[in-house]
Amino acid sequence: MSHFVIRGGRRLEGEAGIQGAKNSVLPILAATLLTAGQVELRGCPRLRDVDASVRILEGLGCTTRWEEENTLVVDTGNLYGYAVSEALMREMRSSAIFLGAILARCGQAELSYPGGCELGPRPIDLHLSGLRDLGAEIDDAGGVLHCKASRLQGREVVLSLPSVGATENLMLAACGASGVTTIAGAAQEPEIVDLQNFLTACGARVSGAGTSTVSVEGGRPLHGCTYTIMPDRIVAATYLCAAVSAGGDIYLRRAREEHLSTVTAVLREAGCVIRSDERGIACTCRNRPAAVRPVRTAPYPGFPTDAQAILMASLLRCRGAVVFEENMFANRYRHVDELARMGADIRVSGRAAVVTGVKNLHGAPVRCTDLRGGAALCVAALAAEGETEVSEIGHIDRGYEDVARDLRNLGADIFRVEDENAEFTRR
């Protein structure tokens, strides 16, 4: 099985570029179905989840090809299918985003319930109720979603929770609906804004992304375009936390502090010096981090749940104790037992976890439990004495294009041992 070997104890120095955002490119790949033409996506990260999305598109009759290192060309002109296989749906949670786009393009869709990291219940009820509000008929008997909509009609849809996936799905479906759709209680993440910008580049009329109300004027024919994916704010947060964990002086090209200001605020409180401009973010951490005020995850613009495990790993050697409160997912502390193998002092009670800083961490064999938990293990290993072997890194491949390459560029001693039989290998 592929794994990372990390020798800790080295301060980080250097520069690394930030890849395109995973949570942005996946809904944009689904949105290409609305164009019936050719789309060129620049800065597209080469990830397991992107690979799965590409295979979904190809299974529907679309053609795809990679040009240069990170440019993906998608042509949806010859779309002939409306059903996504169960095997592909189970590979990633974000596969549900294809529902709204297929329904808008084909008038029907057939998908099974999606898979992904096991972080606790993440129902798609809001997706389905919102699509029903637009006129879709949905039968979910037997775990397969059979959806039909001879005519989608725009209207106001109120989300009881600011679900990112539901907001995106409704935006895509609304592009194929007659009239105006207003999504109230919408998620406000930067990736929602990126989806709006892509749809606008294709000729759609979408406004309000980044606020709690998004408006879509549907029924307009969309065309292909060339579009650059925004940088990944969670990857940027990971490498900033790596510098906190190991100490160092790093620069992250393309990183945007306005997308992760709640993370940088905590890192400044921990004692780091962070400077940013239009080109990227610089971070200097010279001492063991200080304890910070309680960290509570919340929908954007609150502290991102995706950065919780990563920040926790960076503060394992803090001077004092830090309280974390996870308010988004029930099983977001699955990485704690693995961090404990490295000498971390963490106590979990329900949604709360208390990290008491230790002077030293030590290398140990650990395994990834999920995408961000796996990244957290790498962050902790950079500060540990000796060698750490991180296994089951297929989880990390879902969201990080090449974390070993990037960390080496920042001065880390990390290398990947590849399993020749792995389904997904570095290109």
Side-chain angles (χ1 to χ4, degrees):
M1 182 175 293
S2 301
H3 61 274
F4 291 134
V5 175
I6 303 172
R7 299 186 182 98
R10 296 180 54 167
R11 286 179 57 81
L12 302 186
E13 290 186 1
E15 294 188 9
I18 298 302
Q19 68 186 54
K22 163 188 176 285
N23 290 335
S24 183
V25 71
L26 299 181
I28 286 176
L29 283 171
T32 63
L33 293 172
L34 302 173
T35 68
Q38 181 171 290
V39 171
E40 182 179 299
L41 297 178
R42 296 179 178 175
C44 183
R46 305 193 73 164
L47 310 169
R48 284 188 63 172
D49 277 8
V50 170
D51 185 58
S53 294
V54 164
R55 284 185 283 126
I56 288 175
L57 290 170
E58 291 175 343
L60 296 171
C62 307
T63 60
T64 68
R65 69 178 186 276
W66 288 95
E67 292 185 350
E68 302 175 351
E69 187 174 355
N70 288 99
T71 297
L72 177 62
V73 178
V74 180
D75 191 330
T76 66
N78 294 320
L79 178 77
Y80 59 75
Y82 60 86
V84 181
S85 72
E86 180 181 5
L88 288 175
M89 287 297 295
R90 286 187 176 277
E91 286 195 28
M92 61 174 186
R93 188 72 191 180
S94 299
S95 54
I97 198 64
F98 281 89
L99 180 57
I102 296 173
L103 195 59
R105 173 81 180 271
C106 303
Q108 58 184 328
E110 185 175 303
L111 301 82
S112 64
Y113 278 89
C117 288
E118 296 177 7
L119 301 177
R122 291 193 284 178
I124 61 172
D125 297 9
L126 290 178
H127 302 232
L128 302 184
S129 63
L131 292 173
R132 287 188 174 106
D133 286 343
L134 297 182
E137 299 177 3
I138 303 174
D139 178 6
D140 59 355
V144 177
L145 300 170
H146 301 275
C147 310
K148 290 185 179 180
S150 56
R151 183 172 178 269
L152 293 172
Q153 179 62 51
R155 56 163 294 178
E156 181 180 31
V157 180
V158 180
L159 296 178
S160 58
L161 296 171
S163 163
V164 174
T167 300
E168 292 167 339
N169 238 334
L170 290 171
M171 289 171 66
L172 298 184
C175 285
S178 301
V180 176
T181 297
T182 301
I183 306 168
Q188 302 177 45
E189 274 73 359
E191 292 81 8
I192 302 290
V193 178
D194 211 31
L195 177 60
Q196 172 181 284
N197 291 342
F198 171 77
L199 291 171
T200 300
C202 294
R205 289 186 179 176
V206 186
S207 62
T211 75
S212 61
T213 303
V214 177
S215 179
V216 182
E217 182 181 328
R220 297 173 57 85
L222 304 189
H223 52 74
C225 71
T226 297
Y227 190 78
T228 300
I229 305 298
M230 63 171 274
D232 195 307
R233 60 193 173 105
I234 304 303
V235 171
T238 301
Y239 300 156
L240 291 173
C241 286
V244 178
S245 181
D249 191 348
I250 68 171
Y251 185 77
L252 303 179
R253 299 186 304 275
R254 294 190 71 228
R256 299 181 190 171
E257 188 174 6
E258 65 267 26
H259 290 167
L260 64 158
S261 58
T262 53
V263 177
T264 55
V266 174
L267 299 187
R268 286 190 174 97
E269 187 180 348
C272 299
V273 176
I274 296 176
R275 303 172 302 280
S276 63
D277 55 32
E278 68 279 0
R279 296 181 298 109
I281 300 177
C283 177
T284 301
C285 304
R286 303 196 183 282
N287 304 303
R288 283 178 60 192
V292 299
R293 287 170 291 184
V295 177
R296 298 179 174 90
T297 64
Y300 191 88
F303 191 90
T305 182
D306 279 352
Q308 174 259 109
I310 299 159
L311 177 66
M312 180 184 290
S314 75
L315 297 177
L316 296 178
R317 296 175 58 250
C318 71
R319 302 187 303 274
V322 180
V323 176
F324 288 81
E325 183 179 309
E326 176 54 57
N327 297 308
M328 303 300 290
F329 293 118
N331 294 334
R332 270 291 198 193
Y333 292 136
R334 299 176 69 217
H335 56 281
V336 166
D337 288 344
E338 299 304 305
L339 292 175
R341 291 174 176 267
M342 303 170 69
D345 185 349
I346 309 172
R347 298 291 182 269
V348 175
S349 177
R351 292 186 176 274
V354 179
V355 176
T356 302
V358 297
K359 186 174 182 180
N360 297 301
L361 298 171
H362 54 79
V366 293
R367 66 178 186 87
C368 300
T369 56
D370 57 80
L371 168 54
R372 305 307 175 185
L377 298 180
C378 294
V379 167
L382 296 174
E385 299 174 352
E387 185 173 283
T388 297
E389 181 177 305
V390 183
S391 62
E392 298 187 31
I393 60 176
H395 290 291
I396 298 176
D397 290 338
R398 290 186 46 241
Y400 295 80
E401 187 172 75
D402 196 337
V403 71
R405 173 202 64 197
D406 292 343
L407 290 176
R408 279 197 303 273
N409 287 341
L410 297 174
D413 186 352
I414 175 175
F415 63 91
R416 181 184 182 111
V417 178
E418 199 71 74
D419 177 4
E420 294 181 357
N421 297 319
E423 289 185 15
F424 180 90
T425 57
R426 293 281 140 223
R427 296 173 174 86

